[in-house]
PDB file of all heavy atoms in Angstrom:
ATOM      1  N   ARG H 221      94.956 101.010  84.723  1.00  0.00           N
ATOM      2  CA  ARG H 221      96.175 101.808  84.674  1.00  0.00           C
ATOM      3  C   ARG H 221      96.454 102.367  83.290  1.00  0.00           C
ATOM      4  O   ARG H 221      97.204 103.340  83.137  1.00  0.00           O
ATOM      5  CB  ARG H 221      97.329 100.920  85.118  1.00  0.00           C
ATOM      6  CG  ARG H 221      98.551 101.675  85.528  1.00  0.00           C
ATOM      7  CD  ARG H 221      99.524 100.719  86.156  1.00  0.00           C
ATOM      8  NE  ARG H 221     100.704 101.424  86.638  1.00  0.00           N
ATOM      9  CZ  ARG H 221     101.654 100.882  87.364  1.00  0.00           C
ATOM     10  NH1 ARG H 221     101.570  99.608  87.691  1.00  0.00           N
ATOM     11  NH2 ARG H 221     102.693 101.578  87.756  1.00  0.00           N
ATOM     12  N   ASP H 328     114.188 108.849 103.481  1.00  0.00           N
ATOM     13  CA  ASP H 328     115.432 109.307 104.078  1.00  0.00           C
ATOM     14  C   ASP H 328     115.389 109.056 105.577  1.00  0.00           C
ATOM     15  O   ASP H 328     114.497 108.414 106.080  1.00  0.00           O
ATOM     16  CB  ASP H 328     115.632 110.787 103.769  1.00  0.00           C
ATOM     17  CG  ASP H 328     117.116 111.138 103.748  1.00  0.00           C
ATOM     18  OD1 ASP H 328     117.901 110.385 104.363  1.00  0.00           O
ATOM     19  OD2 ASP H 328     117.472 112.123 103.115  1.00  0.00           O
ATOM     20  N   ILE H 412     107.365  93.245 109.785  1.00  0.00           N
ATOM     21  CA  ILE H 412     107.874  92.587 108.587  1.00  0.00           C
ATOM     22  C   ILE H 412     108.869  91.467 108.869  1.00  0.00           C
ATOM     23  O   ILE H 412     108.818  90.425 108.210  1.00  0.00           O
ATOM     24  CB  ILE H 412     108.433  93.649 107.622  1.00  0.00           C
ATOM     25  CG1 ILE H 412     107.247  94.471 107.098  1.00  0.00           C
ATOM     26  CG2 ILE H 412     109.195  93.018 106.481  1.00  0.00           C
ATOM     27  CD1 ILE H 412     107.615  95.602 106.190  1.00  0.00           C
ATOM     28  N   ASP H 423     111.279  92.055 124.930  1.00  0.00           N
ATOM     29  CA  ASP H 423     110.325  91.035 125.344  1.00  0.00           C
ATOM     30  C   ASP H 423     109.471  90.588 124.168  1.00  0.00           C
ATOM     31  O   ASP H 423     109.372  91.284 123.173  1.00  0.00           O
ATOM     32  CB  ASP H 423     109.356  91.615 126.384  1.00  0.00           C
ATOM     33  CG  ASP H 423     110.036  91.832 127.710  1.00  0.00           C
ATOM     34  OD1 ASP H 423     111.027  91.132 128.005  1.00  0.00           O
ATOM     35  OD2 ASP H 423     109.558  92.721 128.445  1.00  0.00           O
ATOM     36  N   GLU H 434      91.970  92.334 125.111  1.00  0.00           N
ATOM     37  CA  GLU H 434      91.242  92.614 126.339  1.00  0.00           C
ATOM     38  C   GLU H 434      90.382  93.866 126.216  1.00  0.00           C
ATOM     39  O   GLU H 434      89.247  93.909 126.668  1.00  0.00           O
ATOM     40  CB  GLU H 434      92.217  92.773 127.507  1.00  0.00           C
ATOM     41  CG  GLU H 434      91.506  92.781 128.840  1.00  0.00           C
ATOM     42  CD  GLU H 434      92.377  93.298 129.962  1.00  0.00           C
ATOM     43  OE1 GLU H 434      93.552  93.619 129.706  1.00  0.00           O
ATOM     44  OE2 GLU H 434      91.866  93.384 131.086  1.00  0.00           O
ATOM     45  N   ARG H 494     100.686  79.577 110.024  1.00  0.00           N
ATOM     46  CA  ARG H 494     101.841  79.132 109.251  1.00  0.00           C
ATOM     47  C   ARG H 494     103.082  79.209 110.119  1.00  0.00           C
ATOM     48  O   ARG H 494     103.217  80.110 110.947  1.00  0.00           O
ATOM     49  CB  ARG H 494     102.021  79.957 107.981  1.00  0.00           C
ATOM     50  CG  ARG H 494     102.283  81.422 108.235  1.00  0.00           C
ATOM     51  CD  ARG H 494     102.840  82.124 107.023  1.00  0.00           C
ATOM     52  NE  ARG H 494     104.161  81.643 106.673  1.00  0.00           N
ATOM     53  CZ  ARG H 494     104.820  82.028 105.585  1.00  0.00           C
ATOM     54  NH1 ARG H 494     104.260  82.867 104.752  1.00  0.00           N
ATOM     55  NH2 ARG H 494     106.032  81.566 105.336  1.00  0.00           N
ATOM     56  N   ALA H 505      92.849  67.092 120.616  1.00  0.00           N
ATOM     57  CA  ALA H 505      92.063  67.304 121.831  1.00  0.00           C
ATOM     58  C   ALA H 505      90.863  68.206 121.574  1.00  0.00           C
ATOM     59  O   ALA H 505      89.902  68.201 122.334  1.00  0.00           O
ATOM     60  CB  ALA H 505      92.945  67.923 122.918  1.00  0.00           C
ATOM     61  N   ASP H 559     103.133  68.992 105.141  1.00  0.00           N
ATOM     62  CA  ASP H 559     103.541  70.317 104.696  1.00  0.00           C
ATOM     63  C   ASP H 559     102.420  71.326 104.929  1.00  0.00           C
ATOM     64  O   ASP H 559     102.602  72.344 105.590  1.00  0.00           O
ATOM     65  CB  ASP H 559     103.920  70.217 103.206  1.00  0.00           C
ATOM     66  CG  ASP H 559     104.376  71.540 102.637  1.00  0.00           C
ATOM     67  OD1 ASP H 559     104.858  72.386 103.420  1.00  0.00           O
ATOM     68  OD2 ASP H 559     104.239  71.745 101.424  1.00  0.00           O
TER      69      ASP H 559
ATOM     70  N   PHE E  20      86.574  69.866 124.581  1.00  0.00           N
ATOM     71  CA  PHE E  20      87.122  68.572 124.965  1.00  0.00           C
ATOM     72  C   PHE E  20      86.781  68.296 126.408  1.00  0.00           C
ATOM     73  O   PHE E  20      86.354  69.152 127.174  1.00  0.00           O
ATOM     74  CB  PHE E  20      88.607  68.524 124.674  1.00  0.00           C
ATOM     75  CG  PHE E  20      89.408  69.284 125.692  1.00  0.00           C
ATOM     76  CD1 PHE E  20      90.054  68.609 126.701  1.00  0.00           C
ATOM     77  CD2 PHE E  20      89.519  70.637 125.627  1.00  0.00           C
ATOM     78  CE1 PHE E  20      90.798  69.287 127.632  1.00  0.00           C
ATOM     79  CE2 PHE E  20      90.254  71.330 126.552  1.00  0.00           C
ATOM     80  CZ  PHE E  20      90.890  70.658 127.562  1.00  0.00           C
ATOM     81  N   LEU E  43      98.211  92.268 132.948  1.00  0.00           N
ATOM     82  CA  LEU E  43      98.206  92.565 131.519  1.00  0.00           C
ATOM     83  C   LEU E  43      98.826  93.899 131.194  1.00  0.00           C
ATOM     84  O   LEU E  43      99.454  94.068 130.182  1.00  0.00           O
ATOM     85  CB  LEU E  43      96.779  92.564 130.988  1.00  0.00           C
ATOM     86  CG  LEU E  43      96.231  91.211 130.607  1.00  0.00           C
ATOM     87  CD1 LEU E  43      94.869  91.390 129.986  1.00  0.00           C
ATOM     88  CD2 LEU E  43      97.136  90.510 129.625  1.00  0.00           C
ATOM     89  N   GLY E  47     107.295  96.002 130.872  1.00  0.00           N
ATOM     90  CA  GLY E  47     108.610  95.637 131.375  1.00  0.00           C
ATOM     91  C   GLY E  47     108.882  94.186 131.070  1.00  0.00           C
ATOM     92  O   GLY E  47     108.202  93.582 130.267  1.00  0.00           O
ATOM     93  N   LYS E 127     112.359  77.678 101.753  1.00  0.00           N
ATOM     94  CA  LYS E 127     111.965  76.830 100.649  1.00  0.00           C
ATOM     95  C   LYS E 127     112.113  77.536  99.329  1.00  0.00           C
ATOM     96  O   LYS E 127     112.224  76.939  98.297  1.00  0.00           O
ATOM     97  CB  LYS E 127     110.475  76.478 100.814  1.00  0.00           C
ATOM     98  CG  LYS E 127     110.195  75.018 100.796  1.00  0.00           C
ATOM     99  CD  LYS E 127     108.729  74.785 100.965  1.00  0.00           C
ATOM    100  CE  LYS E 127     108.440  74.333 102.361  1.00  0.00           C
ATOM    101  NZ  LYS E 127     107.112  73.780 102.530  1.00  0.00           N
ATOM    102  N   VAL E 134     108.373  82.207 101.567  1.00  0.00           N
ATOM    103  CA  VAL E 134     107.244  82.222 100.646  1.00  0.00           C
ATOM    104  C   VAL E 134     106.083  82.920 101.339  1.00  0.00           C
ATOM    105  O   VAL E 134     105.769  82.640 102.485  1.00  0.00           O
ATOM    106  CB  VAL E 134     106.833  80.783 100.275  1.00  0.00           C
ATOM    107  CG1 VAL E 134     105.624  80.803  99.375  1.00  0.00           C
ATOM    108  CG2 VAL E 134     107.987  80.062  99.605  1.00  0.00           C
ATOM    109  N   TRP E 136     105.698  85.797 102.543  1.00  0.00           N
ATOM    110  CA  TRP E 136     105.934  86.713 103.662  1.00  0.00           C
ATOM    111  C   TRP E 136     106.814  87.855 103.214  1.00  0.00           C
ATOM    112  O   TRP E 136     107.804  87.617 102.547  1.00  0.00           O
ATOM    113  CB  TRP E 136     106.600  85.955 104.824  1.00  0.00           C
ATOM    114  CG  TRP E 136     106.605  86.782 106.057  1.00  0.00           C
ATOM    115  CD1 TRP E 136     107.606  87.624 106.492  1.00  0.00           C
ATOM    116  CD2 TRP E 136     105.531  86.934 106.988  1.00  0.00           C
ATOM    117  NE1 TRP E 136     107.219  88.275 107.629  1.00  0.00           N
ATOM    118  CE2 TRP E 136     105.947  87.868 107.963  1.00  0.00           C
ATOM    119  CE3 TRP E 136     104.258  86.382 107.103  1.00  0.00           C
ATOM    120  CZ2 TRP E 136     105.136  88.256 109.024  1.00  0.00           C
ATOM    121  CZ3 TRP E 136     103.460  86.756 108.165  1.00  0.00           C
ATOM    122  CH2 TRP E 136     103.897  87.680 109.109  1.00  0.00           C
ATOM    123  N   GLN E 149     107.386  98.871  90.452  1.00  0.00           N
ATOM    124  CA  GLN E 149     107.423  99.812  89.352  1.00  0.00           C
ATOM    125  C   GLN E 149     107.569 101.223  89.862  1.00  0.00           C
ATOM    126  O   GLN E 149     106.966 102.149  89.372  1.00  0.00           O
ATOM    127  CB  GLN E 149     106.174  99.649  88.499  1.00  0.00           C
ATOM    128  CG  GLN E 149     106.274  98.351  87.712  1.00  0.00           C
ATOM    129  CD  GLN E 149     105.005  98.008  86.995  1.00  0.00           C
ATOM    130  OE1 GLN E 149     104.091  98.794  86.963  1.00  0.00           O
ATOM    131  NE2 GLN E 149     104.967  96.819  86.405  1.00  0.00           N
TER     132      GLN E 149
END
Side-chain angles (χ1 to χ4, degrees):
Chain H
R221 198 171 183 172
D328 208 338
I412 292 177
D423 288 334
E434 192 195 358
R494 62 164 294 175
D559 181 25
Chain E
F20 77 101
L43 276 185
K127 234 180 256 194
V134 177
W136 191 267
Q149 288 172 8

